Amino acid sequence: MMRLLVLILTLLIQSAYTVENIEVSLEKGQLLLTERHSGWGRPRCISCHVLSRIHKDAPHIRGIVAKKGFETCTGCHGSNGTDRPRRCLICHNRQDLPFSPQQTGTHQHDFNIDIDQPLEDHHCLVCHQASDMDGNWELGIDLTHFPDANGVQEPYRHESEFCLRCHNRLHQQPGFPVRSRSLQDPLTMIPYTWRHMDEHGIPSGSGKRIYAGLRPPYRYGVTLACTDCHAMHGTNNPKHIIDNSSKGAFALEIRDQDIPVQVIDHGDYSQLCVLCHEMKQPLEDALVDTGNGLSGVHRVGDDCRLCHTHGKPGMTGL
């Protein structure tokens, strides 16, 4: 009788693990537990899982999980039908995963333009509700699915389209209103000027203007992501402008050189623009160091916004 009970118990455990393994899979892009999980509704992962065996085949996170224990589980696998909060920053922080993502700087996308506050777990989950965290950036998996202007969850064609699902005037997402401060506020106007821009929207420029020139491998005719210039997870510049080349300019060959970027109060964005722009025919201040060791843009030290502004239709350039 005892042997029969042991056999039944073993089969039940194996069955439970089979269901769980089917449900939780990097290959399927699914990490969040659902009701198919054999332990659904149980707040104590230790009841079924042995810490010494968890993630033995995932060395990049194995050490963190082993050190911090079962408190790390909800960050990847959700609340398991309980009231346990999902914790993201227990692993994604400056000590454990300092570059996933970089979180240095006083300004973060905390959904409040009036007050800068440190990012918290619930901020992460707005944009990354069900990421599979496999190290590959996939728009349809790693970003939360927000409906478009027609109320349909159409796949994102590019990263900026994700941003525009909230940053608009007429179809903002419930619970995340974007307040417009003026008729030309880029926070809400950017999608309506998207087709009137060059490299910072749908491309329309030829790259043959008098100030033309890009650093490789950037080229005219490529649509950039908002995050090429805006750092969501931490920067010391206002308007979430990246403060270092390593936080944006993702196609730039020299981005890993940690080139500093400082936005001057009066609107001088030269150090940002010069990361990607380098005049083919040097004019005006094209040979002047912008302050971060690079040169190649005109009117260094001036207010770039007089001619290059998000939110103004019909602009050529930014």
Side-chain angles (χ1 to χ4, degrees):
M1 178 65 69
M2 180 62 68
R3 289 183 178 180
L4 179 61
L5 290 175
V6 171
L7 177 60
I8 293 174
L9 181 60
T10 300
L11 291 174
L12 287 174
I13 293 175
Q14 289 176 346
S15 175
Y17 273 106
T18 299
V19 172
E20 180 182 345
N21 289 337
I22 292 175
E23 182 66 19
V24 179
S25 169
L26 276 180
E27 288 74 18
K28 294 183 178 181
Q30 169 65 29
L31 292 186
L32 295 181
L33 298 173
T34 70
E35 292 182 2
R36 293 182 63 190
H37 180 218
S38 57
W40 181 255
R42 298 181 182 180
R44 289 173 54 82
C45 304
I46 194 174
S47 299
C48 301
H49 299 279
V50 179
L51 186 61
S52 61
R53 296 179 58 187
I54 293 177
H55 295 309
K56 292 182 67 174
D57 298 326
H60 58 295
I61 63 170
R62 170 70 186 127
I64 301 175
V65 173
K67 179 176 64 175
K68 300 194 175 184
F70 293 104
E71 291 301 310
T72 63
C73 297
T74 61
C76 294
H77 303 299
S79 61
N80 192 40
T82 71
D83 59 359
R84 294 179 62 197
R86 289 187 64 184
R87 301 185 65 182
C88 305
L89 299 176
I90 191 173
C91 295
H92 291 281
N93 56 67
R94 298 181 189 180
Q95 288 73 44
D96 297 302
L97 294 172
F99 301 107
S100 301
Q102 294 188 57
Q103 297 183 58
T104 57
T106 57
H107 306 292
Q108 302 89 19
H109 198 313
D110 54 14
F111 307 94
N112 189 331
I113 63 173
D114 298 320
I115 302 174
D116 282 314
Q117 55 187 349
L119 288 179
E120 298 179 3
D121 293 323
H122 65 93
H123 294 135
C124 307
L125 296 172
V126 174
C127 297
H128 307 289
Q129 187 178 49
S131 171
D132 65 359
M133 304 186 212
D134 64 352
N136 298 313
W137 180 246
E138 301 162 288
L139 296 177
I141 295 177
D142 295 315
L143 291 174
T144 301
H145 298 164
F146 286 122
D148 60 16
N150 298 316
V152 179
Q153 289 188 358
E154 286 288 332
Y156 303 122
R157 292 166 294 179
H158 47 74
E159 188 174 321
S160 296
E161 191 172 277
F162 168 77
C163 304
L164 299 180
R165 297 282 168 99
C166 289
H167 286 280
N168 60 74
R169 292 177 61 188
L170 302 178
H171 57 94
Q172 299 176 8
Q173 305 303 320
F176 300 99
V178 182
R179 186 172 71 250
S180 181
R181 298 163 295 186
S182 68
L183 292 177
Q184 296 179 344
D185 192 339
L187 287 177
T188 55
M189 282 300 295
I190 189 64
Y192 310 105
T193 60
W194 192 246
R195 295 184 181 276
H196 296 280
M197 298 185 179
D198 286 339
E199 303 317 295
H200 307 278
I202 292 179
S204 61
S206 65
K208 297 180 180 179
R209 295 184 181 87
I210 190 171
Y211 297 114
L214 294 173
R215 299 183 193 275
Y218 281 109
R219 65 185 189 279
Y220 289 96
V222 174
T223 300
L224 300 188
C226 300
T227 50
D228 265 46
C229 294
H230 298 280
M232 299 297 97
H233 307 100
T235 175
N236 287 312
N237 283 324
K239 298 181 176 62
H240 300 306
I241 298 295
I242 60 175
D243 57 15
N244 191 284
S245 60
S246 63
K247 294 184 180 181
F250 293 101
L252 192 65
E253 290 179 347
I254 60 174
R255 71 181 297 265
D256 292 333
Q257 294 183 15
D258 292 333
I259 302 168
V261 175
Q262 181 180 10
V263 175
I264 311 303
D265 291 338
H266 66 273
D268 179 8
Y269 288 79
S270 298
Q271 291 187 20
L272 172 68
C273 302
V274 79
L275 291 181
C276 304
H277 292 270
E278 183 181 27
M279 288 186 196
K280 294 179 181 177
Q281 298 179 358
L283 299 170
E284 296 181 352
D285 297 335
L287 300 179
V288 175
D289 188 333
T290 60
N292 62 1
L294 298 179
S295 61
V297 295
H298 73 134
R299 305 293 294 272
V300 175
D302 285 351
D303 188 346
C304 304
R305 298 169 300 181
L306 297 177
C307 299
H308 306 283
T309 305
H310 279 320
K312 285 187 177 181
M315 295 294 292
T316 57
L318 181 60

